[in-house]
Amino acid sequence: MAKEYDLVVLGGGTGGYVSAIRASQLGMQVAIVEKGDLGGTCLHKGCIPSKALLRSAEVFRQTKEADTYGVETNDAKLNFSKVQERKNGVVAQLHKGVQGLMKKGKIDVYKGFGRILGPSIFSPMPGTISIEYENGDENTMIVPKNVLVATGSKPRSLPGLQIDGTAVITSDDALQMEELPKSIIIVGGGVIGIEWASMLADFDVNVTVVEYLDQILPTEDQDLAKEAEKLLKKKGITFVKSAKVLPDTLEKDNGVSIQAEIDGKKETFTADKMLVSVGREANTVNIGLENTDIVVEKGHIQTNKFYQTKESHIYAIGDVIGGMQLAHVASHEGIVAVEHMADTYPLPIEYDNVPTCIYSNPEVASVGLTEKQAKEKGFEVKIGKFPFQAIGKALVYGESEGFVKIITDKDSEDLLGVHMIGPHVTDMISEAGLAKVLDATAWEISHSIHPHPTLSEVMGEAALAVEGNQIHG
């Protein structure tokens, strides 16, 4: 007899397990089907392991700069095997925590590959889940009232550019490197590419970033992207923009060699390895969507604002629906979806209020519209901008480059966007996120007293700068 559940979640990544916990809190009987380890890409192949490596890179860089602070050290040496060991320890600890949360919530976890079946002897509606096991055991059938598809995504490559996992790698492969290359080409100057470029440069790897567009970090405000490029160049990173990589020119002989077309001319790039970082593709293949009426467009599942698909009892969240492919977004989408199943009338997510973070050095964070987007939407904008160079705590830290930029609507004075680059901005962007949720004005931000000396003072000064009233600049 097939076991029945109120909800079955396909995928145990951040979005999936958070959704399962919320469903359990609402009194549902819940199961997760996950072929890998709980925590998914974020915990095992993305957010957490990459930030652990970035932290080691930061400590290595700071150790090399210790003399600046009056601390004399012998030559700093990097033990990359210990770097990886620490990363793995952090991941293991968090994985154990997620497993504990499943037990606490009495959530059943099936370790296998889940596929949605069409109408069958188990149910007259699509949605029965068939679970396949790697060891060849007989499939398990479970019958849910609701299904939540949270199968995530995987790195994609350029057409014709074959990933071999050794010379030509993705971020998944890079996380498992046993030793660092002396040089690397990074194809793609988006968020993931820039984080790896910053990290590897701090590890003393020679880095070249090849970007198809004329701006790195193309989703960020242009001022932030320019500042990021300027500061990253100081690390020795080479940027090649408006460059079309030619996959058929790839050669692998004692490293990698590839050509790119720039202004109609071909240029050859060589390095020990090449990291391909050109986005991610949703995991929608072979999960049984063809057995349903679910609509898939350009590889992404289509949903309404509560994440229902065309099959009203089947929902989808996270990378499989496109949009903002971020762990914190997937988690909140899952909460909205589950609360909608439970008829608790959740509010849809306002994506303009969602902060985004880039954990390079310098850090980058933003929420809301860029200046270009605001103008394209017809707003007449007023902008306040303030540098970290005038903030005492930034000078104390020895990291005084970067700025905060606040964009407001000249007519209503409403906050349209906040963009930051500099020390610890990924920890400070939440203030701007709250301000966006509350529909705050720059005046209201400036009247929130920011303690001295703190890095957060830059937010108050940038808010004052909207009207030209900044105190220290």
Side-chain angles (χ1 to χ4, degrees):
M1 188 74 179
K3 189 169 182 179
E4 296 183 354
Y5 290 92
D6 296 310
L7 171 65
V8 171
V9 182
L10 282 186
T14 307
Y17 83 72
V18 168
S19 304
I21 291 170
R22 182 62 185 132
S24 175
Q25 290 172 345
L26 292 168
M28 297 186 195
Q29 188 173 7
V30 187
I32 289 177
V33 181
E34 169 59 54
K35 68 175 182 178
D37 292 321
L38 287 172
T41 294
C42 178
L43 178 52
H44 299 281
K45 297 180 180 180
C47 318
I48 299 302
S50 65
K51 279 35 169 199
L53 295 182
L54 279 159
R55 173 59 178 156
S56 290
E58 179 183 41
V59 171
F60 185 51
R61 183 188 73 250
Q62 290 174 338
T63 303
K64 291 184 290 182
E65 298 170 350
D67 187 62
T68 304
Y69 300 87
V71 179
E72 296 181 358
T73 61
N74 295 325
D75 290 342
K77 293 182 179 179
L78 182 70
N79 185 330
F80 194 64
S81 63
K82 283 191 175 180
V83 170
Q84 288 284 33
E85 184 180 332
R86 178 181 182 274
K87 176 209 74 178
N88 293 337
V90 170
V91 170
Q93 182 177 344
L94 290 170
H95 181 227
K96 186 176 179 181
V98 175
Q99 290 174 312
L101 290 171
M102 296 302 98
K103 291 179 181 178
K104 180 182 177 182
K106 298 181 180 179
I107 298 163
D108 292 340
V109 179
Y110 294 86
K111 190 173 176 63
F113 188 92
R115 183 176 287 106
I116 301 170
L117 301 182
S120 66
I121 59 171
F122 302 101
S123 173
M125 298 188 302
T128 296
I129 305 299
S130 172
I131 305 169
E132 301 173 3
Y133 301 100
E134 283 189 355
N135 62 7
D137 284 355
E138 184 180 350
N139 288 15
T140 298
M141 301 293 175
I142 54 179
V143 183
K145 293 179 182 176
N146 294 286
V147 177
L148 181 64
V149 180
T151 48
S153 64
K154 59 186 176 183
R156 69 179 180 90
S157 185
L158 294 173
L161 189 59
Q162 187 173 359
I163 306 296
D164 63 18
T166 305
V168 183
I169 62 176
T170 67
S171 56
D172 287 2
D173 305 313
L175 287 168
Q176 305 304 321
M177 289 190 297
E178 295 181 359
E179 59 182 31
L180 290 167
K182 292 182 180 178
S183 59
I184 194 165
I185 301 163
I186 298 179
V187 179
V191 174
I192 296 173
I194 292 303
E195 286 188 350
W196 277 98
S198 173
M199 176 209 304
L200 292 171
D202 284 344
F203 280 144
D204 291 337
V205 176
N206 188 308
V207 179
T208 299
V209 177
V210 182
E211 168 57 41
Y212 179 73
L213 300 176
D214 61 358
Q215 173 185 313
I216 66 166
L217 302 175
T219 60
E220 297 297 324
D221 187 89
Q222 288 183 349
D223 286 350
L224 258 69
K226 288 178 182 177
E227 183 75 359
E229 182 176 343
K230 182 186 79 173
L231 298 180
L232 290 167
K233 280 181 176 178
K234 289 184 178 182
K235 294 178 182 289
I237 299 172
T238 299
F239 289 97
V240 183
K241 297 177 293 184
S242 301
K244 181 182 180 181
V245 171
L246 304 173
D248 58 352
T249 66
L250 175 66
E251 295 182 5
K252 293 182 286 186
D253 184 17
N254 294 323
V256 294
S257 170
I258 198 164
Q259 292 184 350
E261 187 176 309
I262 307 161
D263 294 329
K265 298 179 180 179
K266 293 180 180 179
E267 185 173 342
T268 301
F269 300 90
T270 60
D272 291 340
K273 290 182 183 291
M274 181 165 66
L275 170 62
V276 180
S277 179
V278 292
R280 300 182 65 84
E281 58 182 290
N283 291 325
T284 57
V285 177
N286 205 31
I287 61 172
L289 299 182
E290 66 277 6
N291 299 323
T292 73
D293 289 331
I294 292 173
V295 177
V296 179
E297 291 183 4
K298 297 181 179 179
H300 296 122
I301 296 173
Q302 302 301 297
T303 71
N304 63 18
K305 62 184 178 181
F306 298 111
Y307 310 107
Q308 278 178 302
T309 68
K310 194 173 180 182
E311 300 276 5
S312 61
H313 63 295
I314 302 179
Y315 292 66
I317 62 161
D319 290 6
V320 290
I321 66 171
M324 301 178 79
Q325 294 185 322
L326 301 168
H328 50 285
V329 172
S331 296
H332 282 270
E333 289 173 345
I335 290 170
V336 170
V338 167
E339 291 181 349
H340 188 260
M341 295 174 199
D343 294 325
T344 60
Y345 306 105
L347 293 174
I349 294 174
E350 295 285 346
Y351 288 96
D352 280 347
N353 296 342
V354 176
T356 63
C357 298
I358 303 170
Y359 299 87
S360 53
N361 174 259
E363 291 186 350
V364 178
S366 60
V367 63
L369 301 177
T370 65
E371 181 179 350
K372 181 180 179 182
Q373 288 169 339
K375 289 178 177 177
E376 287 174 347
K377 287 179 176 290
F379 291 105
E380 188 174 356
V381 301
K382 290 184 71 174
I383 294 173
K385 195 173 177 181
F386 199 82
F388 277 101
Q389 192 173 17
I391 300 299
K393 186 69 175 288
L395 293 172
V396 169
Y397 263 47
E399 297 184 32
S400 58
E401 294 180 296
F403 56 83
V404 169
K405 176 179 179 179
I406 294 179
I407 303 167
T408 66
D409 177 12
K410 184 177 181 181
D411 295 331
S412 68
E413 298 186 358
D414 286 345
L415 192 66
L416 298 177
V418 178
H419 307 275
M420 305 178 172
I421 180 169
H424 298 282
V425 296
T426 61
D427 299 313
M428 294 196 294
I429 193 63
S430 292
E431 177 184 359
L434 178 60
K436 279 284 291 163
V437 168
L438 297 177
D439 202 17
T441 65
W443 182 90
E444 288 167 322
I445 294 171
S446 71
H447 279 70
S448 172
I449 298 175
H450 296 79
H452 176 78
T454 62
L455 294 173
S456 68
E457 289 177 271
V458 71
M459 185 72 173
E461 289 277 17
L464 288 168
V466 171
E467 297 294 342
N469 295 327
Q470 64 270 28
I471 299 300
H472 293 95

